């Protein structure tokens, strides 16, 4: 078996920042209960590791005692959650990825200028929920080409025809780049004056998808390491499939079934932006245990993006 290990893969700068922040918080507030609103990142290994350290992941602030330490995950939160946290005098440490915050800012800016925002994303995903919460009445969420086409004949929640509005388009950071471009093209055809924001781009999503798109052509099958609720990991799996190979999303090495590789010579391995490198290495070790393996790591694009940790960490410890 020949393994092509994709580079870039795994942790992006936003995930690195969130995980390092929580590590700092756990160390500095070792004598306090730490709450994290939503999974810190969508990865079973990362979440389980912090749970073992006593971190409590929550989906509502209701049960959190006043003055507690609460972290917001990399996916961001709505203004309503921020207000609730202020009312309870919570010590908030905000690990929202700066690229997600940039989309929130763009939504606010468009809405202030009187635009209605078409948001391409998955309704219900943590990131989409937080972003839409910035202006729920002035945002419409769509996730497919058909939904984009339907808008021509539809009206907003405020009963206004879309064609009569100043429209702007923003999107979730972890979508398929090519699928999103197709939806954007349909929006442009229907609403020639729609403004497409340039604040959506996430270098990590683009780079990981581009690398799989290029390298999957050289492989017979693909393993994508990441959790099922990780949007960007699922997109990587789909992109490999679009290149005509069977692609499997796995959380970790235990799930690997040697029969998957019967008749396969070349296996592509990558990892979603929230999957830790030690899980990738344990998957490689398991394949080594089963097969006679040759191995190459192919760098499609260099990455050097680093985000500094939230300043609140220092503030609350002084
Ligand atoms: S995938 Fe992009 S937007 Fe999401 S956390 Fe990583 S860097 Fe930030």
């Amino acid at each position: 078996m020949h393994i092509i290990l994709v580079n870039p893969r795994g942790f992006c700068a936003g995930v690195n920042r969130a995980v390092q922040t929580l590590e700092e918080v756990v160390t500095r507030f070792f004598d306090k209960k730490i709450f994290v609103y939503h999974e810190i990142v969508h990865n079973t290994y990362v979440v389980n590791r912090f749970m073992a350290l006593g971190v409590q992941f929550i989906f509502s602030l209701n049960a959190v005692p006043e003055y507690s330490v609460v972290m917001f995950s990399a996916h961001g939160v709505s203004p309503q959650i921020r207000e609730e946290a202020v009312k309870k005098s919570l010590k908030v440490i905000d690990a929202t990825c700066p690229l997600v915050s940039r989309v929130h800012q763009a939504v606010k800016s468009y809405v202030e200028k009187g635009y209605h925002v078409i948001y391409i994303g998955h309704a219900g995903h943590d990131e989409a929920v937080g972003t839409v919460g910035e202006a729920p009445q002035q945002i419409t969420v769509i996730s497919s080409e058909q939904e984009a086409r339907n808008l021509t004949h539809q009206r907003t929640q405020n009963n206004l025809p879309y064609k009569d509005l100043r429209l702007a388009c923003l999107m979730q950071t972890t979508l398929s780049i090519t699928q999103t471009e197709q939806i954007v093209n349909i929006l442009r055809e229907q609403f020639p004056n729609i403004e497409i924001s340039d604040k959506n781009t996430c270098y990590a999503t683009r780079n990981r998808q581009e690398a799989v798109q290029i390298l999957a052509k050289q492989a017979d099958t693909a393993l994508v390491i990441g959790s099922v609720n990780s949007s960007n990991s699922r997109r990587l799996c789909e992109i490999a499939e679009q290149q005509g190979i069977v692609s499997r999303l796995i959380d970790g090495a235990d799930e690997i079934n040697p029969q998957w590789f019967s008749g396969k010579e070349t296996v592509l391995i990558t990892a979603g932006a929230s999957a830790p490198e030690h899980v990738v290495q344990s998957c490689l070790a398991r394949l080594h245990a089963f097969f006679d393996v040759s191995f190459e790591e192919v760098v499609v694009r260099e990455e050097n993006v680093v985000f500094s940790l939230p300043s609140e960490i220092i503030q609350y410890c002084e």
Side-chain angles (χ1 to χ4, degrees), residues 34-49:
I34 310 293
F35 297 90
V36 179
Y37 185 76
H38 290 158
E39 289 189 348
I40 179 70
V41 297
H42 286 151
N43 184 269
T44 311
Y45 282 83
V46 175
V47 168
N48 287 349
R49 182 180 145 236

Side-chain angles (χ1 to χ4, degrees), residues 10-16 18 41 74-75 95-101 103 127 172-174 200-206 208 232 273-274 305 307:
F11 275 17
C12 59
V15 167
N16 248 324
V41 297
H75 303 104
T96 305
C97 175
L99 300 185
V100 174
S101 300
V103 177
E127 181 184 330
Q172 198 177 319
T173 56
T174 50
N200 305 293
T201 49
C202 165
Y203 78 96
T205 298
R206 185 172 287 278
R208 278 153 190 67
N232 79 87
S274 44
V305 179
F307 296 133

Side-chain angles (χ1 to χ4, degrees), residues 1-4 216 218-223 240-241 243-248 256-269 287 290-294:
M1 174 192 287
H2 183 62
I3 293 177
I4 300 174
Q218 301 168 28
D220 304 314
T221 188
L223 284 184
E241 295 261 349
Q243 303 308 311
I245 58 174
V246 174
S247 175
R248 292 183 172 87
I256 291 176
N257 178 347
Q259 289 174 353
W260 293 341
F261 307 101
S262 159
K264 310 288 185 201
E265 286 179 8
T266 307
V267 180
L268 187 83
I269 297 188
L287 288 173
F290 286 130
F291 302 102
D292 186 12
V293 166
S294 64

